Amino acid sequence: MTVETIATQPFQDQKPGTSGLRKKVKAFEKPNYLENFVQCIFDTQRELQDAPLVVGGDGRYYNRQAIQIILRIAAANGCVRVVLGQGGILSTPAASHLIRMHNARGGIILSASHNPGGPDEDFGIKFNTPNGGPAPEKVTEAIYAATLHINRYHTLDTPDIDLDRLGTELVGDMVVDIVDPVSAYADLMEQLFNFGQIRALFQSGFRMRFDAMHAVTGPYAREILENRLGAPVGTVINGVPLEDFGHGHPDPNLVYAKELADYLFGADAPDFGAASDGDGDRNMVLGRHFFVTPSDSLAVILANADLAPGYFGRVSGVARSMPTSQAADRVAAKLGLNCYETPTGWKFFGNLLDAGKITLCGEESFGTGSDHVREKDGLWAVLFWLNILAARRQSVAEIVREHWRLYGRNYYTRHDYEAVDSDAANGLVDILRAKTATLPGQKLGSYTVAYADDFRYLDSIDNSVSDKQGIRIGFQDGSRIVYRLSGTGTEGATLRVYIEAYQADPAKHDLDTQQALAELIQIANSLAGIRERTGRDAPTVIT
Ligand code: VG1
Ligand code: CO
C-alpha cells in the first residue's frame, strides 16, 4: 500500500476551544481543513501508531465522511488498529470508556455536542488522551501550533469501508474493529448502580420519560432503561439519532428541551424526566413539577453517593468548574471531603481524577461525572438519580428540599447572550477586567465586594497554569457574579453571566430563582453595561 503525501496550506483558525475544534460544517468541508487537523494530531502524538485509536462521533451530518477521511490518514501515518463504533457512532462517555477499556493511546471524537447539526450547522473534532479524557491544554496547544505551519498530510488511496457491519475491516494494513457502541458502556453502568433496585422501582409503577433529542443517546437509553431496567417501551422519546437532530438544538435545558419540560410541569407529569445532549455527555434532570439545577444535582449526588454500589464508601472528593454554584462545596465540607474549583471545561478534571483526589465532578452547564470515565456522562447522571430515587423512595422535589434544609440553598442562574458581536463582547470583558482592581470594598446595592479577579487556575498535579478563565466578583455574604465568554460557539460571541446567592433560611427556600436573585442580576447587568455594549435587552437563554 503506497502512502500518498499531499501538499497543503495551513489554516489560521484551528485553535481548539473549551472542548475541541468546532466550526460550521461548511468550514470542515473546505479542502484539507479536516485533513490538516487530523494530520497535526498524528504529527504531535507520535505514540498513536502502536496501540488502538478509538474513533466515533455523535452521528451528526458529516460524521460518516469525516470518519472515512480520518481512517485513511490514520492508516497512512502507521496506526495499526482502530476501534470504531458501528455506524461511526459513539457517545462521548462511551468513547472515553472504550479508550480506557482497550488501553488505547487515544481517541478522536467527532461532535459539536449541544450545537445544532446539518449541512449549515456545526461539526467538531476532539482528541482524547490515553486516560480517556479530553486533551489538556498543553496537548491542544501543540496540535494548534502544528496547524499553523503544516505543509503536507499523508493519506491512502483506498475505497470507503462499510461502517455499519460489526467485525473487522482493513484500511491499507490498518485493522478497523467495528464494535457495538452500546454494550460495553451499558455493562459499565450495570457495575456502578443497583439495577435490581431500579428495576423494582419501575415495577412499582414509577414513571419516567427520557428525551434523547434525536441525538446519540437514543440507543443507549433504550438498551439501559427499557431493555435492562424494564422501563416501559416508549419511556425514551426522540430516540432515533438523526443527522440534524430533527432540526432541533440538542441542548438539554428548559428552553431547548421544552417538550420534556412542558410534560414534567403538566397535569399528567410522570415522577422523573431527563434529557441528554448531542453527544450524550450532558444531562438535565427533572422531577414532577420540579427542575433540578445542575449545580444542585452534583451536590445531591455527592451527598447520596453511598446509595450507589459503585461509590459506596469510596468518594474521596469533588471538583466543580469555577462558575458552578458552591452547593457541592457545602456537602464536601460537611463530609470532610476534598473540594476543588477548576476552570470551565472537562479537561481540567482529568488530573484530579487520575490522581484519586476526587471521585465526582460537575459543571453548571448540565455536566456531571465521576472517575468511571474521563468525560462528563449524561446517562450516568440519570442512572445515579434513579438509584437514589429507588433507594430513598421519595420524590425528586422531596429529596432536593430536604437537601436544602440540611445544607442551605444556593440560588443560581445563568444568563446567556448568544451570537453577540465579538468585538463588543471582548470589549465588555476587557473593561470588567480593568475594573477588578478597584472593586474590592465597594458597595454595590446592598452587597459589598469581597474580591474581584480574572480566574487563574494552578493545577495542583502538574503545576500548569491557565489564566483568564472568567471574571469573578465575590461578595462578603458569599454571593457571586461571574462573567465569561463561551469557547464552544461558532457564531460571534456568547456572553455567559452566572449569578449565585446562598440562603440558609428554610422559610426562604421556595422563592422564584429570578426573583431571589433580582438585585444581583441588576448589579451584574449594570456593572458590565450589558445593554449598552451588546445592544441586548434580555438574555437569549436563562437557565
Ligand atoms: C460549554 C460549557 C462548559 C462545557 C462545554 C463543553 O462551554 O459552559 O461547561 O464543558 O460547553 O460541553 P463554553 O465555553 O461554551 O461555556 V459539551 O457538552 O459541548 O462537550
Ligand atoms: Co456534549
Side-chain angles (χ1 to χ4, degrees), residues 242-534:
L242 299 175
E243 287 199 331
D244 65 352
F245 310 115
H247 300 297
H249 199 134
D251 196 352
N253 60 34
L254 295 173
V255 174
Y256 295 125
K258 191 169 184 308
E259 183 185 355
L260 179 76
D262 286 349
Y263 183 46
L264 265 290
F265 282 93
D268 182 36
D271 302 284
F272 185 54
S276 193
D277 71 333
D279 60 328
D281 56 358
R282 296 185 177 205
N283 74 94
M284 176 170 72
V285 168
L286 300 161
R288 181 182 294 124
H289 303 172
F290 197 90
F291 166 64
V292 186
T293 71
S295 297
D296 278 346
S297 177
L298 175 65
V300 170
I301 287 175
L302 179 65
N304 290 277
D306 275 347
L307 298 176
Y311 299 88
F312 177 79
R314 68 164 205 90
V315 173
S316 60
V318 67
R320 58 162 176 83
S321 68
M322 182 273 282
T324 302
S325 101
Q326 299 162 95
D329 304 29
R330 296 189 171 268
V331 180
K334 203 164 210 159
L335 302 182
L337 301 170
N338 299 330
C339 183
Y340 294 86
E341 184 177 53
T342 55
T344 292
W346 211 260
K347 56 182 178 260
F348 295 103
F349 294 132
N351 279 347
L352 295 169
L353 290 164
D354 287 350
K357 301 279 184 202
I358 60 167
T359 309
L360 297 165
C361 45
E363 296 190 280
E364 50 62 41
S365 53
F366 299 89
T368 332
S370 88
D371 59 1
H372 68 292
V373 290
R374 291 295 180 274
E375 290 277 6
K376 54 187 179 276
D377 190 342
L379 261 172
W380 170 91
V382 173
L383 291 168
F384 216 131
W385 268 93
L386 282 171
N387 198 143
I388 293 169
L389 293 166
R392 290 183 53 168
R393 295 286 177 133
Q394 290 169 288
S395 71
V396 171
E398 282 163 355
I399 288 173
V400 177
R401 290 216 169 86
E402 200 176 303
H403 185 92
W404 292 338
R405 274 197 297 278
L406 216 58
Y407 296 98
R409 175 170 183 187
N410 291 70
Y411 278 101
Y412 186 80
T413 190
R414 183 176 107 183
H415 289 194
D416 291 333
Y417 297 81
E418 294 177 352
V420 170
D421 175 73
S422 293
D423 292 339
N426 285 313
L428 182 149
V429 172
D430 288 344
I431 287 173
L432 276 172
R433 185 179 300 116
K435 272 190 191 171
T436 53
T438 58
L439 281 175
Q442 273 193 40
K443 217 162 165 4
L444 302 176
S446 53
Y447 295 86
T448 307
V449 178
Y451 63 88
D453 62 11
D454 194 345
F455 183 53
R456 175 175 193 271
Y457 179 63
L458 169 67
D459 184 305
S460 57
I461 310 296
D462 67 10
N463 293 319
S464 60
V465 170
S466 305
D467 47 26
K468 297 200 173 167
Q469 297 295 322
I471 308 289
R472 318 188 280 181
I473 299 170
F475 298 95
Q476 274 174 2
D477 69 346
S479 304
R480 294 193 308 166
I481 298 171
V482 173
Y483 306 84
R484 60 178 283 284
L485 299 183
S486 159
T488 58
T490 58
E491 247 177 274
T494 294
L495 170 68
R496 304 200 195 283
V497 186
Y498 314 77
I499 297 146
E500 171 183 14
Y502 179 67
Q503 178 55 262
D505 181 0
K508 295 183 184 156
H509 283 170
D510 268 319
L511 306 177
D512 171 76
T513 299
Q514 300 305 310
Q515 273 161 19
L517 296 172
E519 190 188 349
L520 281 168
I521 292 171
Q522 176 66 45
I523 294 172
N525 290 351
S526 61
L527 190 68
I530 293 178
R531 183 170 306 174
E532 304 81 81
R533 298 193 176 283
T534 66

Side-chain angles (χ1 to χ4, degrees), residues 23 57 94 102 152 173 178 224 232 285 434 451 475:
K23 297 282 173 202
H102 289 280
R152 56 88 192 97
D173 299 329
I178 301 182
I224 295 171
V285 168
Y451 63 88
F475 298 95

